[in-house]
Each structure stands twice: as structure tokens, then as C-alpha cells.
């Protein structure tokens, strides 16, 4: 039910049909991803930040979800660090979270990507419209982690993110310009969602069910997005400095969150 909810394709970008195909291959992907965190909570790295061309400014989708995961890990007794861009650091600094600038993958028990660009077949990461990202990206962390055997999770909504390399054929099949933008970077588990923040909240919701504690209690997405906008972070669809995510008003995000937390309460 949680997986269905977070894949509600409000933006109409093709993620719902991709999700339905993917779920036939990996029905329990959300629970499997939660298991990675449950078994490896000691020191979790959460990577986020998608620079949007042409200005290559990070977007409001990704950092809120990354923060929610980091907070959940810490409530479970683990330690979490976030790797992102300086603008995102400046925005999230007020939320008492740990950042890292030059991580070594071998220092972590698990690594999670939330809306993080992944290089395509030509070595370039691209936006949904096919424009190359002209900024350093963090997909190398996951490439190295795979070589080291460190468990990884990818969360994405468009096919061009870290983790989507796991289902590249489905990205090509279902996503506009999929052949051009599809990420080749794989993760051990992949969470698809209509908005990457929703996928991150879905992961935390599943962790809540598994641990018997609502790890999303007290969460205020509007407050986090406001902090991002104050730091110059833009909506990735409108490309404007406004308090929305993926072109979707905050009211809709808040309603989605209410339904998600209701599902947690029903299961606890």
C-alpha cells in the first residue's frame, strides 16, 4: 500500500507504469530497502542534490527526504551523515544534522541516494529534458560502494537518478527520452516514487512499521522547503525560487504525508 501511494503519478511523467513493471520483478522492494537500514544502522550516509540546468542549482526534491531518513536513522540509535552541495548544507544546517564533504564509502554501514544524478551511457548525467548537468555529481560514491560490497539504496522518480541503472530497460520503455537520460548507476535496492521525497518518506514509513515507532512524527515538510528556498534552492520543474516541489504545491505534498502517516498509525 505504501509503495502504491508514493508512486501516485501526479506529475504524469510515466513513473506509474514503470513502477508497475518494476513491482512485478521486485514486489517487496520497499521492505527490502528497509531491511538494509535495519541491519546496518551504525553509520549511514545519505546523498542528495540534483542540480537543475541551465543554472545547475539544486532542487527542492531530495533534500527533505534525505533529512527525514537521516533523522529516522538517528532515532533508531544509529548515526547519519548527509553529502550534498553547499547550498543544501546551508539550508539544512538549522535542523541539527551532520554533513560530510569528502566521504570514504568504506567508512559507512549503508549508503542511500535520494534524487541524486546518475551518469548515463555517455558518462553524463542529464535532466529529464536531456540537458547535461554541468556540476560535480556524487554517483561515484555508489560505484565505489558496489566494488566494496557496501549495501546501497537508490530513490528516484525520473530514471536519471542513482539506482535507476538497476532497471534501465524499464526507464527506456516508460520514461520520455529514457534512452538518453537513463542512469547506468545501480544500487542493491531501488525505491521508485512519483516524487523522490515521497519515496524517502515511504522508506521511513516502512521502517516505522518494522520498528513499531512512528519515525515520521513531528515532521514538517513545509518548514524544510521554506529553509531550502531561503538558501536559493529552486523547484526542479518550474525552475523558480518558490515553495513547491516538482511543480506540485505544498498543500498536495502535505495531504500525501497525512495519508502516509495514517497508514503508519493503522499498522502500529
Amino acid at each position: 500500500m505504501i509503495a502504491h501511494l508514493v508512486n501516485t503519478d501526479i506529475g504524469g511523467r510515466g513513473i506509474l507504469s514503470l513502477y508497475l513493471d518494476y513491482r512485478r520483478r521486485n514486489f517487496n522492494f520497499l521492505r527490502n530497502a528497509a531491511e538494509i537500514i535495519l541491519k546496518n544502522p551504525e553509520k549511514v550516509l545519505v546523498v542528495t542534490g540534483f542540480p537543475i540546468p541551465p543554472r545547475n542549482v539544486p532542487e527542492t526534491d531530495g533534500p527533505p527526504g534525505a533529512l527525514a531518513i537521516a533523522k529516522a536513522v538517528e532515532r533508531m540509535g544509529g548515526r547519519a551523515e548527509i553529502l550534498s552541495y553547499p547550498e543544501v548544507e546551508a539550508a539544512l544546517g538549522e535542523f541539527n544534522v551532520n554533513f560530510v564533504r569528502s566521504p570514504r564509502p568504506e567508512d559507512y554501514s549503508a549508503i542511500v541516494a535520494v534524487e541524486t544524478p546518475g551518469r548515463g551511457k555517455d558518462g553524463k548525467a542529464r535532466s529529464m529534458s536531456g540537458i547535461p548537468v554541468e556540476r560535480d555529481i556524487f554517483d561515484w560514491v555508489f560505484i565505489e560502494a558496489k566494488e566494496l560490497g557496501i549495501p546501497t539504496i537508490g530513490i528516484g522518480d525520473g530514471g536519471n537518478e542513482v539506482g535507476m541503472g538497476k532497471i534501465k530497460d524499464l526507464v527506456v520503455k516508460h520514461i520520455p527520452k529514457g534512452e538518453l537520460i537513463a542512469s547506468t548507476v545501480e544500487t542493491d535496492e531501488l525505491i521508485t516514487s512519483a516524487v523522490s521525497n515521497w519515496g524517502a518518506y515511504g522508506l521511513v514509513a516502512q521502517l516505522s512499521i518494522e520498528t513499531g515507532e512512528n519515525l515520521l512524527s513531528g515532521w514538517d515538510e513545509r518548514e524544510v522547503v521554506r529553509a531550502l528556498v531561503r538558501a536559493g534552492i529552486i523547484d526542479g520543474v518550474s525552475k523558480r525560487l518558490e515553495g513547491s516541489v516538482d511543480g506540485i504545491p505544498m498543500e498536495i505534498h502535505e495531504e500525501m504525508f497525512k495519508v502516509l502517516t495514517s497508514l503508519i498509525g493503522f499498522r502500529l
Side-chain angles (χ1 to χ4, degrees), residues 212-238:
E213 177 187 359
N214 185 352
L215 299 170
L216 285 172
S217 64
W219 178 254
D220 187 340
E221 184 176 18
R222 187 181 290 269
E223 180 184 4
V224 177
V225 171
R226 282 174 177 164
L228 290 167
V229 173
R230 286 196 298 269
I233 308 302
I234 62 173
D235 182 301
V237 172
S238 71

Side-chain angles (χ1 to χ4, degrees), residues 144-242:
E144 289 189 15
K146 183 177 181 180
E147 295 173 353
L148 295 166
I150 297 164
T152 55
I153 301 167
I155 302 174
D157 61 16
N160 53 352
E161 304 95 349
V162 166
M164 288 290 188
K166 189 177 182 71
I167 53 170
K168 183 176 181 292
D169 61 320
L170 298 183
V171 174
V172 172
K173 178 181 177 182
H174 293 288
I175 302 297
K177 299 186 180 180
E179 183 68 42
L180 176 64
I181 71 170
S183 168
T184 61
V185 183
E186 299 184 27
T187 48
D188 294 313
E189 286 296 337
L190 169 68
I191 297 172
T192 65
S193 53
V195 177
S196 290
N197 287 339
W198 296 359
Y201 302 152
L203 174 58
V204 178
Q206 188 66 46
L207 286 168
S208 299
I209 291 168
E210 301 295 335
T211 61
E213 177 187 359
N214 185 352
L215 299 170
L216 285 172
S217 64
W219 178 254
D220 187 340
E221 184 176 18
R222 187 181 290 269
E223 180 184 4
V224 177
V225 171
R226 282 174 177 164
L228 290 167
V229 173
R230 286 196 298 269
I233 308 302
I234 62 173
D235 182 301
V237 172
S238 71
K239 298 181 176 61
R240 299 193 191 102
L241 198 62
E242 56 191 9

Side-chain angles (χ1 to χ4, degrees), residues 4-17 157 193-194 198:
H4 282 331
L5 181 64
V6 301
N7 279 278
T8 303
D9 194 4
I10 292 176
R13 295 193 289 182
I15 196 67
L16 178 59
S17 55
D157 61 16
S193 53
W198 296 359

